[in-house]
Amino acid sequence: MSQREKEISGKIAELDKEKKILEGTRAYYEQNLSYAELEEITGISIREFKRFQSDNEFPYRVGSYNKQAIFDKIQNRINAIEAEIVKLRESVFGALDQLLFIPSWQTMIDSSFNGFYLNQPVQKIFQDTVILLPELAMTGFEETTGEPYFLITGLGMYWVKFELGAGSIVTDYREITGIVLPLDIYHRAQDEAEQVLKSENMRMTEYMTSIPFSLILAKSTTQMYLRGVISRNIFHPYKESFDQFMKLCKDPNSFNPDEGLKILSGGLTSDKSFYGNELLTEKPLGEYSRLIAGIKNTQPKLNKILENLQLETMSEALFEKLVKIKIEFSEIGRNYLIDWMPGHIS
């Protein structure tokens, strides 16, 4: 970590602590807690709370006459702190926010489809991972049934390792610019799945892991612990896919705006009207459209989803942001991952 990053990390830690004290102060008033109870809940000393109240002119207790004004004061400061933290992180990472990793696309969408490759049936899939640098996330509704789905756009890749015939092991990939899922599948992956790790710094379930780049600004003890968890569960067992993703992001010809968005669609709505386990594009793309293991087909059907989300005129603007993410990942994020996990990413 550079000196500048250390300074920003220290400032963020100070702001996080102030936010925690503010939230504790609000709980102190709302729940009529004692200072001892507050210390036990937050881990912040009674002396610090009293000094904070005194320095910021918070009363010992609130009544009906000043309660709302005090709560507004607390919330306004929390909002300001959160905005300042965002600016500090953006000063280091720019458009980079997090790395989204799905260890098995088939497992997450509950599919057993192996598919075909070079006109041959795929015998077995060993790994089918998705790596994504998210940019935009939003909920839409299927036009016919009204069922909700969740779209995440970003810079990404679908990577698969599989067997063709006896002993013929093949790897291949497709660049993608997002994923779209029925909302129930997304919630299952995020909220209902077994939690491998859940902390204030990152979240890892059996189906999906979000690794914020701001981890590089976390305190060293936190980083050391999370490095071990991420290394064991992600970077080491899925090294091949990360190596390919690094190469893809360095390729000057990758993620060509002229080809439009390419969204990996998973799962079906109740009436099977949603595009299940397909690559959706804005236009026919020739070689990109050839079959790949684990995916049923590639269809130029993406415009319908973009229209439903009122994004049909925003494809160019979305791609401008994706290009920025690609540049910043190549210049900043890639090096962070290499430094953070030496020996696991080339």
Side-chain angles (χ1 to χ4, degrees):
M1 191 185 299
S2 68
Q3 183 59 37
R4 176 172 173 270
E5 288 163 356
K6 289 179 181 177
E7 291 172 358
I8 291 175
S9 177
K11 180 61 176 175
I12 289 175
E14 291 175 5
L15 290 168
D16 278 333
K17 185 172 184 179
E18 183 183 350
K19 180 183 174 183
K20 190 174 182 180
I21 292 175
L22 284 162
E23 291 171 339
T25 300
R26 181 166 56 194
Y28 166 79
Y29 291 137
E30 287 179 333
Q31 301 172 37
N32 199 30
L33 300 174
S34 68
Y35 283 119
E37 289 173 322
L38 196 56
E39 182 178 42
E40 183 177 354
I41 292 170
T42 65
I44 296 172
S45 70
I46 294 174
R47 178 183 296 179
E48 284 183 281
F49 269 113
K50 287 185 174 181
R51 184 170 63 243
F52 180 82
Q53 284 182 319
S54 174
D55 291 346
N56 293 275
E57 299 181 350
F58 283 110
Y60 175 67
R61 289 295 179 190
V62 296
S64 58
Y65 70 96
N66 65 349
K67 181 177 180 180
Q68 191 58 53
I70 294 297
F71 285 1
D72 287 346
K73 179 180 178 180
I74 291 172
Q75 188 58 53
N76 289 339
R77 179 53 189 156
I78 288 175
N79 292 343
I81 287 172
E82 290 175 344
E84 190 172 351
I85 289 174
V86 168
K87 286 183 179 179
L88 286 169
R89 287 174 174 164
E90 285 180 348
S91 71
V92 178
F93 304 107
L96 293 176
D97 178 34
Q98 61 179 299
L99 186 146
L100 181 67
F101 178 72
I102 299 170
S104 173
W105 178 253
Q106 283 199 328
T107 300
M108 188 181 74
I109 67 172
D110 194 23
S111 169
S112 58
F113 180 79
N114 287 345
F116 294 84
Y117 187 80
L118 300 178
N119 298 319
Q120 299 180 58
V122 174
Q123 301 299 317
K124 183 178 181 180
I125 292 179
F126 299 104
Q127 287 187 356
D128 56 328
T129 64
V130 172
I131 301 172
L132 192 70
L133 301 172
E135 183 270 325
L136 172 72
M138 63 188 306
T139 302
F141 296 90
E142 206 284 321
E143 190 173 38
T144 305
T145 65
E147 292 193 54
Y149 56 84
F150 195 71
L151 171 71
I152 306 174
T153 62
L155 212 68
M157 178 190 74
Y158 168 78
W159 185 91
V160 61
K161 183 176 185 177
F162 55 97
E163 181 179 353
L164 274 183
S168 177
I169 308 301
V170 182
T171 63
D172 203 352
Y173 69 93
R174 293 288 183 273
E175 66 177 52
I176 60 173
T177 55
I179 60 174
V180 61
L181 300 163
L183 196 58
D184 62 336
I185 290 181
Y186 178 75
H187 281 321
R188 187 183 73 220
Q190 280 281 70
D191 304 322
E192 299 172 15
E194 179 183 349
Q195 299 287 327
V196 179
L197 172 72
K198 185 177 181 181
S199 73
E200 62 182 19
N201 299 98
M202 64 170 286
R203 186 173 191 170
M204 179 186 294
T205 76
E206 58 182 316
Y207 297 131
M208 184 182 294
T209 296
S210 299
I211 306 174
F213 282 95
S214 58
L215 278 182
I216 198 70
L217 300 177
K219 57 186 179 182
S220 58
T221 52
T222 300
Q223 282 199 47
M224 287 179 63
Y225 169 68
L226 292 177
R227 284 186 189 200
V229 174
I230 297 171
S231 178
R232 288 191 303 273
N233 290 278
I234 297 178
F235 285 100
H236 183 65
Y238 301 100
K239 181 181 184 300
E240 288 181 272
S241 60
F242 276 96
D243 282 343
Q244 182 59 60
F245 183 67
M246 295 294 197
K247 293 174 184 175
L248 181 64
C249 290
K250 287 179 65 178
D251 183 353
N253 298 315
S254 65
F255 303 103
N256 184 347
D258 293 337
E259 296 180 352
L261 298 172
K262 306 163 185 173
I263 305 295
L264 182 57
S265 169
L268 294 168
T269 49
S270 58
D271 68 345
K272 302 188 183 301
S273 62
F274 195 80
Y275 308 117
N277 201 15
E278 296 181 340
L279 276 165
L280 306 179
T281 62
E282 294 185 73
K283 63 186 80 171
L285 293 177
E287 179 66 15
Y288 182 87
S289 300
R290 65 184 173 85
L291 293 176
I292 186 170
I295 305 298
K296 289 183 178 179
N297 51 44
T298 301
Q299 299 279 1
K301 299 178 180 178
L302 185 56
N303 289 329
K304 184 175 181 181
I305 287 180
L306 296 179
E307 288 172 8
N308 288 345
L309 292 170
Q310 299 181 332
L311 294 176
E312 67 271 22
T313 62
M314 293 179 60
S315 179
E316 185 175 340
L318 288 172
F319 241 108
E320 288 179 3
K321 294 181 180 179
L322 295 180
V323 169
K324 185 177 181 182
I325 289 175
K326 179 182 177 181
I327 293 171
E328 292 184 349
F329 179 74
S330 297
E331 294 179 351
I332 304 172
R334 181 178 182 276
N335 292 331
Y336 278 131
L337 291 185
I338 291 173
D339 290 343
W340 215 57
M341 293 292 166
H344 291 309
I345 299 177
S346 60

